[in-house]
Amino acid sequence: MSNLAVIFDFSGNSLTLQCKSNEVIDDVFKRFCVKAQLNINDVTFYYNSTELKLSGKTLEALGVKNLFRFSVVGKTVVGA
């Protein structure tokens, strides 16, 4: 188990969370949403243009390293 800093890019801002490599990605995403005051159902997480889903896997199992960057995109309705 190691300490990691994970970076989330959202709406032109960056937010860094301190995590442990054995944390489940779902919990990290939820913690980001609480800190950013977002509803987890209203955002999508990406890494290298690939959408990441809640999976129950640890950061280590997903290959997340220190200073890993996730892109967060809000789900918006256009023309409603």
PDB file of all heavy atoms in Angstrom, residues 11-38:
ATOM      1  N   SER A  11     -13.940  21.216 -15.621  1.00  0.00           N
ATOM      2  CA  SER A  11     -14.332  22.592 -15.961  1.00  0.00           C
ATOM      3  C   SER A  11     -13.176  23.582 -15.859  1.00  0.00           C
ATOM      4  O   SER A  11     -13.324  24.670 -15.302  1.00  0.00           O
ATOM      5  CB  SER A  11     -15.491  23.047 -15.075  1.00  0.00           C
ATOM      6  OG  SER A  11     -16.639  22.311 -15.361  1.00  0.00           O
ATOM      7  N   GLY A  12     -12.021  23.199 -16.342  1.00  0.00           N
ATOM      8  CA  GLY A  12     -10.876  24.097 -16.333  1.00  0.00           C
ATOM      9  C   GLY A  12     -10.146  24.191 -15.010  1.00  0.00           C
ATOM     10  O   GLY A  12      -9.199  24.966 -14.878  1.00  0.00           O
ATOM     11  N   ASN A  13     -10.557  23.432 -14.017  1.00  0.00           N
ATOM     12  CA  ASN A  13      -9.912  23.435 -12.704  1.00  0.00           C
ATOM     13  C   ASN A  13      -9.330  22.055 -12.415  1.00  0.00           C
ATOM     14  O   ASN A  13      -9.808  21.046 -12.928  1.00  0.00           O
ATOM     15  CB  ASN A  13     -10.915  23.783 -11.601  1.00  0.00           C
ATOM     16  CG  ASN A  13     -11.465  25.180 -11.765  1.00  0.00           C
ATOM     17  OD1 ASN A  13     -10.717  26.130 -11.911  1.00  0.00           O
ATOM     18  ND2 ASN A  13     -12.779  25.292 -11.774  1.00  0.00           N
ATOM     19  N   SER A  14      -8.314  22.032 -11.573  1.00  0.00           N
ATOM     20  CA  SER A  14      -7.723  20.772 -11.132  1.00  0.00           C
ATOM     21  C   SER A  14      -7.912  20.639  -9.633  1.00  0.00           C
ATOM     22  O   SER A  14      -7.765  21.613  -8.894  1.00  0.00           O
ATOM     23  CB  SER A  14      -6.230  20.728 -11.452  1.00  0.00           C
ATOM     24  OG  SER A  14      -6.025  20.696 -12.830  1.00  0.00           O
ATOM     25  N   LEU A  15      -8.241  19.437  -9.202  1.00  0.00           N
ATOM     26  CA  LEU A  15      -8.415  19.149  -7.781  1.00  0.00           C
ATOM     27  C   LEU A  15      -7.622  17.882  -7.487  1.00  0.00           C
ATOM     28  O   LEU A  15      -7.773  16.887  -8.199  1.00  0.00           O
ATOM     29  CB  LEU A  15      -9.891  18.932  -7.470  1.00  0.00           C
ATOM     30  CG  LEU A  15     -10.212  18.796  -5.994  1.00  0.00           C
ATOM     31  CD1 LEU A  15     -11.338  19.744  -5.636  1.00  0.00           C
ATOM     32  CD2 LEU A  15     -10.611  17.384  -5.679  1.00  0.00           C
ATOM     33  N   THR A  16      -6.753  17.937  -6.501  1.00  0.00           N
ATOM     34  CA  THR A  16      -5.902  16.798  -6.148  1.00  0.00           C
ATOM     35  C   THR A  16      -6.410  16.146  -4.873  1.00  0.00           C
ATOM     36  O   THR A  16      -6.692  16.830  -3.892  1.00  0.00           O
ATOM     37  CB  THR A  16      -4.441  17.255  -5.954  1.00  0.00           C
ATOM     38  OG1 THR A  16      -4.002  17.900  -7.153  1.00  0.00           O
ATOM     39  CG2 THR A  16      -3.539  16.075  -5.659  1.00  0.00           C
ATOM     40  N   LEU A  17      -6.521  14.816  -4.897  1.00  0.00           N
ATOM     41  CA  LEU A  17      -6.916  14.042  -3.718  1.00  0.00           C
ATOM     42  C   LEU A  17      -5.766  13.130  -3.306  1.00  0.00           C
ATOM     43  O   LEU A  17      -5.103  12.546  -4.160  1.00  0.00           O
ATOM     44  CB  LEU A  17      -8.124  13.166  -4.013  1.00  0.00           C
ATOM     45  CG  LEU A  17      -9.474  13.830  -4.240  1.00  0.00           C
ATOM     46  CD1 LEU A  17     -10.534  12.765  -4.493  1.00  0.00           C
ATOM     47  CD2 LEU A  17      -9.872  14.669  -3.055  1.00  0.00           C
ATOM     48  N   GLN A  18      -5.556  13.019  -2.023  1.00  0.00           N
ATOM     49  CA  GLN A  18      -4.592  12.066  -1.497  1.00  0.00           C
ATOM     50  C   GLN A  18      -5.311  10.736  -1.315  1.00  0.00           C
ATOM     51  O   GLN A  18      -6.407  10.694  -0.754  1.00  0.00           O
ATOM     52  CB  GLN A  18      -4.029  12.556  -0.159  1.00  0.00           C
ATOM     53  CG  GLN A  18      -3.276  13.872  -0.259  1.00  0.00           C
ATOM     54  CD  GLN A  18      -2.060  13.782  -1.146  1.00  0.00           C
ATOM     55  OE1 GLN A  18      -1.313  12.819  -1.102  1.00  0.00           O
ATOM     56  NE2 GLN A  18      -1.875  14.791  -1.986  1.00  0.00           N
ATOM     57  N   CYS A  19      -4.705   9.661  -1.789  1.00  0.00           N
ATOM     58  CA  CYS A  19      -5.337   8.340  -1.744  1.00  0.00           C
ATOM     59  C   CYS A  19      -4.311   7.286  -1.350  1.00  0.00           C
ATOM     60  O   CYS A  19      -3.110   7.542  -1.350  1.00  0.00           O
ATOM     61  CB  CYS A  19      -5.887   7.957  -3.123  1.00  0.00           C
ATOM     62  SG  CYS A  19      -6.935   9.172  -3.884  1.00  0.00           S
ATOM     63  N   LYS A  20      -4.801   6.119  -1.075  1.00  0.00           N
ATOM     64  CA  LYS A  20      -3.969   4.934  -0.856  1.00  0.00           C
ATOM     65  C   LYS A  20      -4.151   4.021  -2.063  1.00  0.00           C
ATOM     66  O   LYS A  20      -5.236   3.951  -2.635  1.00  0.00           O
ATOM     67  CB  LYS A  20      -4.396   4.184   0.414  1.00  0.00           C
ATOM     68  CG  LYS A  20      -4.339   5.008   1.672  1.00  0.00           C
ATOM     69  CD  LYS A  20      -2.944   5.056   2.202  1.00  0.00           C
ATOM     70  CE  LYS A  20      -2.959   5.768   3.561  1.00  0.00           C
ATOM     71  NZ  LYS A  20      -1.653   6.165   3.957  1.00  0.00           N
ATOM     72  N   SER A  21      -3.114   3.309  -2.444  1.00  0.00           N
ATOM     73  CA  SER A  21      -3.180   2.449  -3.623  1.00  0.00           C
ATOM     74  C   SER A  21      -4.192   1.317  -3.464  1.00  0.00           C
ATOM     75  O   SER A  21      -4.675   0.786  -4.459  1.00  0.00           O
ATOM     76  CB  SER A  21      -1.804   1.873  -3.951  1.00  0.00           C
ATOM     77  OG  SER A  21      -1.309   1.117  -2.860  1.00  0.00           O
ATOM     78  N   ASN A  22      -4.556   0.983  -2.216  1.00  0.00           N
ATOM     79  CA  ASN A  22      -5.516  -0.100  -2.000  1.00  0.00           C
ATOM     80  C   ASN A  22      -6.961   0.402  -1.889  1.00  0.00           C
ATOM     81  O   ASN A  22      -7.875  -0.366  -1.623  1.00  0.00           O
ATOM     82  CB  ASN A  22      -5.145  -0.928  -0.768  1.00  0.00           C
ATOM     83  CG  ASN A  22      -5.230  -0.147   0.524  1.00  0.00           C
ATOM     84  OD1 ASN A  22      -5.285   1.079   0.522  1.00  0.00           O
ATOM     85  ND2 ASN A  22      -5.211  -0.850   1.633  1.00  0.00           N
ATOM     86  N   GLU A  23      -7.186   1.707  -2.134  1.00  0.00           N
ATOM     87  CA  GLU A  23      -8.554   2.248  -2.117  1.00  0.00           C
ATOM     88  C   GLU A  23      -9.302   1.824  -3.378  1.00  0.00           C
ATOM     89  O   GLU A  23      -8.715   1.723  -4.453  1.00  0.00           O
ATOM     90  CB  GLU A  23      -8.536   3.773  -2.058  1.00  0.00           C
ATOM     91  CG  GLU A  23      -8.311   4.318  -0.681  1.00  0.00           C
ATOM     92  CD  GLU A  23      -8.512   5.822  -0.634  1.00  0.00           C
ATOM     93  OE1 GLU A  23      -9.677   6.262  -0.752  1.00  0.00           O
ATOM     94  OE2 GLU A  23      -7.509   6.531  -0.483  1.00  0.00           O
ATOM     95  N   VAL A  24     -10.590   1.628  -3.235  1.00  0.00           N
ATOM     96  CA  VAL A  24     -11.444   1.269  -4.361  1.00  0.00           C
ATOM     97  C   VAL A  24     -11.755   2.531  -5.158  1.00  0.00           C
ATOM     98  O   VAL A  24     -12.052   3.582  -4.587  1.00  0.00           O
ATOM     99  CB  VAL A  24     -12.741   0.588  -3.860  1.00  0.00           C
ATOM    100  CG1 VAL A  24     -13.698   0.306  -4.998  1.00  0.00           C
ATOM    101  CG2 VAL A  24     -12.408  -0.685  -3.100  1.00  0.00           C
ATOM    102  N   ILE A  25     -11.661   2.443  -6.494  1.00  0.00           N
ATOM    103  CA  ILE A  25     -11.868   3.599  -7.372  1.00  0.00           C
ATOM    104  C   ILE A  25     -13.230   4.249  -7.134  1.00  0.00           C
ATOM    105  O   ILE A  25     -13.352   5.470  -7.182  1.00  0.00           O
ATOM    106  CB  ILE A  25     -11.662   3.231  -8.855  1.00  0.00           C
ATOM    107  CG1 ILE A  25     -11.556   4.480  -9.731  1.00  0.00           C
ATOM    108  CG2 ILE A  25     -12.765   2.328  -9.361  1.00  0.00           C
ATOM    109  CD1 ILE A  25     -10.310   5.263  -9.556  1.00  0.00           C
ATOM    110  N   ASP A  26     -14.242   3.450  -6.831  1.00  0.00           N
ATOM    111  CA  ASP A  26     -15.584   3.973  -6.568  1.00  0.00           C
ATOM    112  C   ASP A  26     -15.549   4.985  -5.423  1.00  0.00           C
ATOM    113  O   ASP A  26     -16.158   6.055  -5.514  1.00  0.00           O
ATOM    114  CB  ASP A  26     -16.545   2.840  -6.205  1.00  0.00           C
ATOM    115  CG  ASP A  26     -16.560   1.706  -7.205  1.00  0.00           C
ATOM    116  OD1 ASP A  26     -15.484   1.373  -7.749  1.00  0.00           O
ATOM    117  OD2 ASP A  26     -17.630   1.142  -7.444  1.00  0.00           O
ATOM    118  N   ASP A  27     -14.822   4.648  -4.358  1.00  0.00           N
ATOM    119  CA  ASP A  27     -14.737   5.523  -3.186  1.00  0.00           C
ATOM    120  C   ASP A  27     -13.983   6.815  -3.507  1.00  0.00           C
ATOM    121  O   ASP A  27     -14.341   7.888  -3.023  1.00  0.00           O
ATOM    122  CB  ASP A  27     -14.061   4.797  -2.019  1.00  0.00           C
ATOM    123  CG  ASP A  27     -14.873   3.609  -1.532  1.00  0.00           C
ATOM    124  OD1 ASP A  27     -16.115   3.603  -1.734  1.00  0.00           O
ATOM    125  OD2 ASP A  27     -14.271   2.681  -0.958  1.00  0.00           O
ATOM    126  N   VAL A  28     -12.949   6.706  -4.327  1.00  0.00           N
ATOM    127  CA  VAL A  28     -12.172   7.887  -4.713  1.00  0.00           C
ATOM    128  C   VAL A  28     -13.045   8.821  -5.554  1.00  0.00           C
ATOM    129  O   VAL A  28     -13.059  10.033  -5.340  1.00  0.00           O
ATOM    130  CB  VAL A  28     -10.895   7.483  -5.473  1.00  0.00           C
ATOM    131  CG1 VAL A  28     -10.141   8.709  -5.966  1.00  0.00           C
ATOM    132  CG2 VAL A  28     -10.005   6.621  -4.581  1.00  0.00           C
ATOM    133  N   PHE A  29     -13.792   8.260  -6.512  1.00  0.00           N
ATOM    134  CA  PHE A  29     -14.687   9.072  -7.336  1.00  0.00           C
ATOM    135  C   PHE A  29     -15.758   9.746  -6.476  1.00  0.00           C
ATOM    136  O   PHE A  29     -16.063  10.922  -6.661  1.00  0.00           O
ATOM    137  CB  PHE A  29     -15.357   8.234  -8.425  1.00  0.00           C
ATOM    138  CG  PHE A  29     -14.449   7.842  -9.570  1.00  0.00           C
ATOM    139  CD1 PHE A  29     -14.876   6.929 -10.501  1.00  0.00           C
ATOM    140  CD2 PHE A  29     -13.185   8.384  -9.724  1.00  0.00           C
ATOM    141  CE1 PHE A  29     -14.066   6.564 -11.571  1.00  0.00           C
ATOM    142  CE2 PHE A  29     -12.361   8.034 -10.783  1.00  0.00           C
ATOM    143  CZ  PHE A  29     -12.807   7.120 -11.717  1.00  0.00           C
ATOM    144  N   LYS A  30     -16.319   9.018  -5.537  1.00  0.00           N
ATOM    145  CA  LYS A  30     -17.341   9.587  -4.650  1.00  0.00           C
ATOM    146  C   LYS A  30     -16.753  10.709  -3.793  1.00  0.00           C
ATOM    147  O   LYS A  30     -17.395  11.742  -3.593  1.00  0.00           O
ATOM    148  CB  LYS A  30     -17.943   8.498  -3.764  1.00  0.00           C
ATOM    149  CG  LYS A  30     -18.837   7.547  -4.524  1.00  0.00           C
ATOM    150  CD  LYS A  30     -19.290   6.389  -3.653  1.00  0.00           C
ATOM    151  CE  LYS A  30     -20.039   5.347  -4.482  1.00  0.00           C
ATOM    152  NZ  LYS A  30     -20.323   4.133  -3.729  1.00  0.00           N
ATOM    153  N   ARG A  31     -15.535  10.505  -3.302  1.00  0.00           N
ATOM    154  CA  ARG A  31     -14.879  11.522  -2.474  1.00  0.00           C
ATOM    155  C   ARG A  31     -14.613  12.790  -3.296  1.00  0.00           C
ATOM    156  O   ARG A  31     -14.797  13.905  -2.811  1.00  0.00           O
ATOM    157  CB  ARG A  31     -13.577  10.973  -1.892  1.00  0.00           C
ATOM    158  CG  ARG A  31     -13.063  11.761  -0.747  1.00  0.00           C
ATOM    159  CD  ARG A  31     -12.121  10.983   0.141  1.00  0.00           C
ATOM    160  NE  ARG A  31     -11.271  10.078  -0.568  1.00  0.00           N
ATOM    161  CZ  ARG A  31      -9.944  10.158  -0.612  1.00  0.00           C
ATOM    162  NH1 ARG A  31      -9.317  11.092   0.041  1.00  0.00           N
ATOM    163  NH2 ARG A  31      -9.231   9.265  -1.279  1.00  0.00           N
ATOM    164  N   PHE A  32     -14.201  12.608  -4.560  1.00  0.00           N
ATOM    165  CA  PHE A  32     -14.019  13.762  -5.440  1.00  0.00           C
ATOM    166  C   PHE A  32     -15.332  14.526  -5.579  1.00  0.00           C
ATOM    167  O   PHE A  32     -15.359  15.746  -5.481  1.00  0.00           O
ATOM    168  CB  PHE A  32     -13.519  13.341  -6.828  1.00  0.00           C
ATOM    169  CG  PHE A  32     -13.723  14.408  -7.853  1.00  0.00           C
ATOM    170  CD1 PHE A  32     -12.866  15.505  -7.914  1.00  0.00           C
ATOM    171  CD2 PHE A  32     -14.789  14.351  -8.734  1.00  0.00           C
ATOM    172  CE1 PHE A  32     -13.079  16.526  -8.837  1.00  0.00           C
ATOM    173  CE2 PHE A  32     -15.010  15.359  -9.656  1.00  0.00           C
ATOM    174  CZ  PHE A  32     -14.150  16.447  -9.711  1.00  0.00           C
ATOM    175  N   CYS A  33     -16.414  13.808  -5.825  1.00  0.00           N
ATOM    176  CA  CYS A  33     -17.719  14.453  -6.027  1.00  0.00           C
ATOM    177  C   CYS A  33     -18.165  15.221  -4.793  1.00  0.00           C
ATOM    178  O   CYS A  33     -18.708  16.326  -4.910  1.00  0.00           O
ATOM    179  CB  CYS A  33     -18.772  13.428  -6.451  1.00  0.00           C
ATOM    180  SG  CYS A  33     -18.529  12.859  -8.149  1.00  0.00           S
ATOM    181  N   VAL A  34     -17.931  14.681  -3.614  1.00  0.00           N
ATOM    182  CA  VAL A  34     -18.277  15.384  -2.379  1.00  0.00           C
ATOM    183  C   VAL A  34     -17.460  16.668  -2.276  1.00  0.00           C
ATOM    184  O   VAL A  34     -17.999  17.739  -2.004  1.00  0.00           O
ATOM    185  CB  VAL A  34     -18.052  14.477  -1.149  1.00  0.00           C
ATOM    186  CG1 VAL A  34     -18.111  15.272   0.141  1.00  0.00           C
ATOM    187  CG2 VAL A  34     -19.073  13.353  -1.129  1.00  0.00           C
ATOM    188  N   LYS A  35     -16.160  16.562  -2.515  1.00  0.00           N
ATOM    189  CA  LYS A  35     -15.284  17.724  -2.400  1.00  0.00           C
ATOM    190  C   LYS A  35     -15.617  18.789  -3.445  1.00  0.00           C
ATOM    191  O   LYS A  35     -15.556  19.977  -3.170  1.00  0.00           O
ATOM    192  CB  LYS A  35     -13.827  17.284  -2.544  1.00  0.00           C
ATOM    193  CG  LYS A  35     -12.848  18.271  -2.043  1.00  0.00           C
ATOM    194  CD  LYS A  35     -11.486  17.642  -1.866  1.00  0.00           C
ATOM    195  CE  LYS A  35     -10.625  18.588  -1.069  1.00  0.00           C
ATOM    196  NZ  LYS A  35      -9.357  18.032  -0.709  1.00  0.00           N
ATOM    197  N   ALA A  36     -15.985  18.367  -4.658  1.00  0.00           N
ATOM    198  CA  ALA A  36     -16.306  19.305  -5.736  1.00  0.00           C
ATOM    199  C   ALA A  36     -17.778  19.709  -5.723  1.00  0.00           C
ATOM    200  O   ALA A  36     -18.221  20.457  -6.588  1.00  0.00           O
ATOM    201  CB  ALA A  36     -15.947  18.677  -7.080  1.00  0.00           C
ATOM    202  N   GLN A  37     -18.543  19.173  -4.777  1.00  0.00           N
ATOM    203  CA  GLN A  37     -19.983  19.448  -4.641  1.00  0.00           C
ATOM    204  C   GLN A  37     -20.732  19.080  -5.919  1.00  0.00           C
ATOM    205  O   GLN A  37     -21.515  19.863  -6.461  1.00  0.00           O
ATOM    206  CB  GLN A  37     -20.221  20.900  -4.248  1.00  0.00           C
ATOM    207  CG  GLN A  37     -19.625  21.244  -2.917  1.00  0.00           C
ATOM    208  CD  GLN A  37     -19.838  22.691  -2.532  1.00  0.00           C
ATOM    209  OE1 GLN A  37     -20.179  23.535  -3.343  1.00  0.00           O
ATOM    210  NE2 GLN A  37     -19.645  22.978  -1.251  1.00  0.00           N
ATOM    211  N   LEU A  38     -20.481  17.860  -6.398  1.00  0.00           N
ATOM    212  CA  LEU A  38     -21.127  17.332  -7.598  1.00  0.00           C
ATOM    213  C   LEU A  38     -21.887  16.065  -7.255  1.00  0.00           C
ATOM    214  O   LEU A  38     -21.519  15.345  -6.324  1.00  0.00           O
ATOM    215  CB  LEU A  38     -20.074  16.994  -8.664  1.00  0.00           C
ATOM    216  CG  LEU A  38     -19.214  18.136  -9.168  1.00  0.00           C
ATOM    217  CD1 LEU A  38     -18.055  17.589  -9.996  1.00  0.00           C
ATOM    218  CD2 LEU A  38     -20.049  19.093  -9.992  1.00  0.00           C
TER     219      LEU A  38
END
